């Protein structure tokens, strides 16, 4: 199974807290997406908590069938099958493990609320789903012969990061960097997020075949999100500074 977030990011950058504007408005779409992903994970065989899927080999077989049914299988995506064409959308709500889920949801919680407030609920929903779909589609196109299921929301969440970078470049992000002995530093988003994207780029260049992390989906999503925010909002509506701390996240989507 191919996961959707970078384990390298987990070792390199973590975020604490939550990003908020001074008004701290509600973000129903962001929290609705988080709730939906969590509920679907808990009732799925991936969580290992639903007794209906059994244990041991029976559970593993149920997990494999679940990922193949709802995840993106690049080798099958471009066949003449309407069901396969929907999998880049369904895969956004499927996660492969607890770490995968929690990492993705933490990033969405941190960066989604402010982005949703700026875009508006409907536009943010369409942006999230559209960019997530295209990010997975881009990965599948570049790995058209792969039989590994691709699941996770990190293509869409990477798009949120890209949009956040354009809209809130000076928002402060509290980072824990291992090479600085995990000393917490408050850095601007324009430093942290491009650094994260550079890690994805380097990891994508080293990625081989087989199970792993879909770094390319992260890069496609990040680029789509940044370009969308640039085209849609332009420099005139860009937020110049955000006094509140913007936490980071984990890496696994």
């Amino acid at each position: 199974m191919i996961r959707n977030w970078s384990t390298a990011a987990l070792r390199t950058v973590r975020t604490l807290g939550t990003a908020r504007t001074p008004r701290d408005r509600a973000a129903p779409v962001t929290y609705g997406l988080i709730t939906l992903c969590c509920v679907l994970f808990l009732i799925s065989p991936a969580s290992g908590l639903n007794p209906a899927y059994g244990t041991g080999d029976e559970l593993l077989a149920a997990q494999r069938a679940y990922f193949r049914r709802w995840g993106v299988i690049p080798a099958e995506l471009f066949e003449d099958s309407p069901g396969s064409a929907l999998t880049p959308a369904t895969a956004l709500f499927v996660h492969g493990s607890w770490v995968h889920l929690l990492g993705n949801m933490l990033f969405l919680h941190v960066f989604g609320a402010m982005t949703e407030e700026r875009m508006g609920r409907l536009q943010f929903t369409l942006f999230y789903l559209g960019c997530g779909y295209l990010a997975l589609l881009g990965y599948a196109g570049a790995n058209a012969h792969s039989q590994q299921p691709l699941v996770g929301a990190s293509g869409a969440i990477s798009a949120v990061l890209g949009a956040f970078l354009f809209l809130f470049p000076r928002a402060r992000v509290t980072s824990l960097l291992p090479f600085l002995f995990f000393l917490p530093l408050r850095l601007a988003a324009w430093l942290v997020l491009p650094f994260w994207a550079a890690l994805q780029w380097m990891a994508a260049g080293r990625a081989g075949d087989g199970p792993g992390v879909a770094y390319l989906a992260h890069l496609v999503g990040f680029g789509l999100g940044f370009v969308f925010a640039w085209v849609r909002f332009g420099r005139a509506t860009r937020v110049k500074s955000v006094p509140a701390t913007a936490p980071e996240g984990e890496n696994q989507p």
Side-chain angles (χ1 to χ4, degrees), residues 35-245:
T35 300
L36 179 59
C37 287
C38 290
V39 170
L40 291 176
F41 179 79
L42 289 173
I43 64 176
S44 77
S47 69
L49 298 179
N50 191 333
Y53 295 105
T55 59
D57 292 340
E58 184 181 5
L59 176 61
L60 292 176
Q63 290 173 345
R64 286 192 292 268
Y66 176 71
F67 297 137
R68 293 194 68 84
R69 179 178 181 182
W70 300 110
V72 178
I73 302 176
E76 300 177 3
L77 181 60
F78 302 104
E79 296 178 352
D80 296 330
S81 170
S84 295
L86 293 176
T87 56
T90 60
L92 294 175
F93 302 95
V94 178
H95 291 84
S97 68
W98 284 93
V99 174
H100 190 198
L101 172 74
L102 295 176
N104 272 353
M105 295 305 100
L106 178 58
F107 262 112
L108 181 55
H109 171 68
V110 167
F111 295 102
M114 289 174 66
T115 306
E116 178 185 342
E117 180 181 349
R118 175 52 54 87
M119 290 186 179
R121 297 173 185 177
L122 177 60
Q123 185 171 214
F124 179 78
T125 302
L126 297 176
F127 162 80
Y128 181 92
L129 296 176
C131 288
Y133 187 101
L134 292 175
L136 297 184
L137 191 66
Y139 177 90
N143 298 271
H145 301 295
S146 175
Q147 291 286 343
Q148 293 291 338
L150 174 66
V151 300
S154 55
I157 297 171
S158 295
V160 173
L161 268 60
F164 188 97
L165 173 61
F166 181 84
L167 295 172
F168 308 101
R170 298 184 185 179
R172 308 301 291 182
V173 178
T174 303
S175 307
L176 300 179
L177 306 177
F179 56 83
L180 292 179
F181 305 101
F182 295 97
L183 180 67
L185 299 175
R186 293 188 65 202
L187 303 173
W190 67 267
L191 285 174
V192 174
L193 294 180
F195 178 65
W196 173 86
L199 289 177
Q200 307 307 297
W201 178 271
M202 291 186 292
R206 297 193 304 266
D209 297 330
V213 179
Y215 299 104
L216 180 59
H218 304 168
L219 291 170
V220 173
F222 188 82
L224 287 171
F226 187 89
V227 170
F228 176 86
W230 176 45
V231 172
R232 172 64 179 83
F233 296 97
R235 296 180 61 85
T237 59
R238 197 168 171 180
V239 171
K240 295 184 177 179
S241 63
V242 177
T245 300

